[in-house]
Amino acid sequence: MMKAYGGVLIVADALLLLLKILYYIVEAIYRIFVPVEEKSVAGEIVLVTGAGHGIGKELALKYASLGATVVCWDLNPQGNNGTVEEIKQMGVAKVYGYKCDVANREEVFKVAEKVKQDVGNVTILINNAGIMPCHTFLDHSPEEIKRMFDVNVMAHFWTLQAFLPSMIQNNHGHIVALSSVAGFVGLPNLVPYCVSKYAVRGLMESLDEELRRSSKDKPSKIKFTTICPYMVDTGLCKKPRMRFPSIMSLAVPKMVADEIVRMQRRNIKQVSIPKFLIHLDHVVRCLPDMCVPAVLDFVNAGVEPDS
């Protein structure tokens, strides 16, 4: 009797699951034509790592223009101070700059405590800082590989440990992480980099799920957004290779930053820039294994080794 009852429950749960899947498919199609309204970030405290140049700088400028209090972190104080001054020239007073090596846990916690005292609790954390040496796998030195993981992966852990507790306590916050299209597919001359960007996606997805499951009595309002850009013209891609430059050229940092802010304000969980790349990856992964290298050969995009 109990077995039969258990079987009925499984069938009922399976039917409910199918209904949920159908609902979410219809909702996703609807949102293609009617996007979610962008939420306000005015009054939020936004911390951007790697704010001294490139995407990080453009993100800081964009959030400042939207009325947020902006906290700029960078290892390079000259570039970081330049971003802060540029924001002040916009007539924005609520901007703060701090020198911080995000790969150093002790330094992250020390500077984070100063931010809390000077500014308040960070409500939007953007883990943008990253490095991308381009060599064949065996040409990477052990020190270079370790540094890449310290900056591209471990820094996310340290900033999250520093700022997530207050978000959980207040049940309010948003985490944005910069992964990469290289976090979807393995590429030559970028082996450690690809691994680091795969790791970022795994970190964001698992942490999001952990908070969802641990807060059923009071649903978590902390949002997660993982951004996977194609090659961006920030100086990291020194020798890009592309077969179709008219449709897959280096992206402009300002355009990428604008899209990141737009996706964060719409609570999008994961997106590539351009958007079609994430959908292309999903489709190709459903095909036989050899379809992936066939598509990569056709597209023929990537980077050549640094000199």
Side-chain angles (χ1 to χ4, degrees):
M1 185 69 177
M2 291 298 296
K3 288 184 178 180
Y5 179 70
V8 170
L9 283 180
I10 291 174
V11 172
D13 283 347
L15 290 174
L16 180 60
L17 173 62
L18 290 174
L19 287 174
K20 286 181 178 179
I21 290 173
L22 180 61
Y23 170 80
Y24 293 134
I25 289 173
V26 172
E27 181 184 44
I29 294 172
Y30 171 75
R31 287 305 178 190
I32 293 174
F33 303 99
V34 186
V36 175
E37 184 178 351
E38 296 179 24
K39 63 186 179 183
S40 172
V41 293
E44 302 283 358
I45 299 177
V46 182
L47 188 149
V48 182
T49 67
H53 70 288
I55 297 172
K57 176 180 179 178
E58 297 297 340
L59 284 168
L61 292 169
K62 182 66 176 180
Y63 278 108
S65 73
L66 293 171
T69 297
V70 178
V71 180
C72 301
W73 278 17
D74 203 289
L75 183 60
N76 178 359
Q78 183 176 357
N80 205 43
N81 291 339
T83 300
V84 171
E85 288 305 313
E86 194 167 334
I87 290 174
K88 287 182 177 179
Q89 289 173 11
M90 296 164 50
V92 177
K94 294 182 178 180
V95 56
Y96 303 81
Y98 300 85
K99 178 182 179 294
C100 185
D101 180 0
V102 291
N104 184 320
R105 186 178 187 274
E106 291 183 2
E107 188 170 337
V108 166
F109 274 73
K110 181 180 178 180
V111 181
E113 187 59 35
K114 186 164 179 54
V115 169
K116 292 174 187 177
Q117 293 173 1
D118 295 347
V119 190
N121 289 323
V122 169
T123 56
I124 300 177
L125 171 63
I126 304 181
N127 280 314
N128 161 74
I131 57 175
M132 192 183 78
C134 304
H135 314 303
T136 59
F137 175 65
L138 294 178
D139 285 337
H140 281 283
S141 68
E143 295 77 17
E144 191 174 52
I145 292 174
K146 185 178 185 304
R147 180 62 180 171
M148 199 181 315
F149 275 81
D150 284 343
V151 175
N152 292 5
V153 182
M154 300 311 299
H156 291 245
F157 283 87
W158 310 148
T159 57
L160 283 165
Q161 287 183 343
F163 297 112
L164 186 58
S166 64
M167 294 185 186
I168 293 175
Q169 182 179 358
N170 298 319
N171 199 21
H172 174 77
H174 203 130
I175 309 295
V176 180
L178 270 289
S179 179
S180 169
V181 169
F184 289 144
V185 60
L187 297 170
N189 307 315
L190 290 172
V191 174
Y193 180 79
C194 288
V195 176
S196 72
K197 292 305 182 179
Y198 269 87
V200 168
R201 290 179 58 215
L203 168 62
M204 291 287 283
E205 185 173 323
S206 54
L207 184 55
D208 185 10
E209 181 63 8
E210 180 172 284
L211 289 185
R212 186 185 73 86
R213 286 180 175 265
S214 64
S215 55
K216 287 188 175 180
D217 294 336
K218 186 180 181 181
S220 174
K221 294 182 181 180
I222 300 170
K223 305 300 181 181
F224 291 80
T225 297
T226 305
I227 307 292
C228 302
Y230 177 63
M231 292 184 287
V232 184
D233 190 11
T234 60
L236 293 180
C237 297
K238 295 180 177 62
K239 294 184 178 181
R241 183 186 69 253
M242 55 194 73
R243 183 181 182 185
F244 304 107
S246 60
I247 60 172
M248 295 185 69
S249 60
L250 291 181
V252 178
K254 185 180 186 308
M255 179 277 289
V256 173
D258 288 347
E259 188 66 10
I260 291 171
V261 174
R262 189 177 299 112
M263 294 301 100
Q264 179 267 316
R265 295 179 67 191
R266 289 178 178 168
N267 294 329
I268 302 299
K269 282 183 177 285
Q270 185 170 238
V271 68
S272 63
I273 302 173
K275 293 179 183 178
F276 76 87
L277 289 176
I278 190 172
H279 302 301
L280 176 63
D281 179 73
H282 291 162
V283 171
V284 173
R285 294 293 179 182
C286 294
L287 302 175
D289 290 342
M290 291 309 297
C291 292
V292 175
V295 171
L296 291 176
D297 288 345
F298 174 77
V299 175
N300 193 24
V303 295
E304 301 295 344
D306 295 340
S307 300

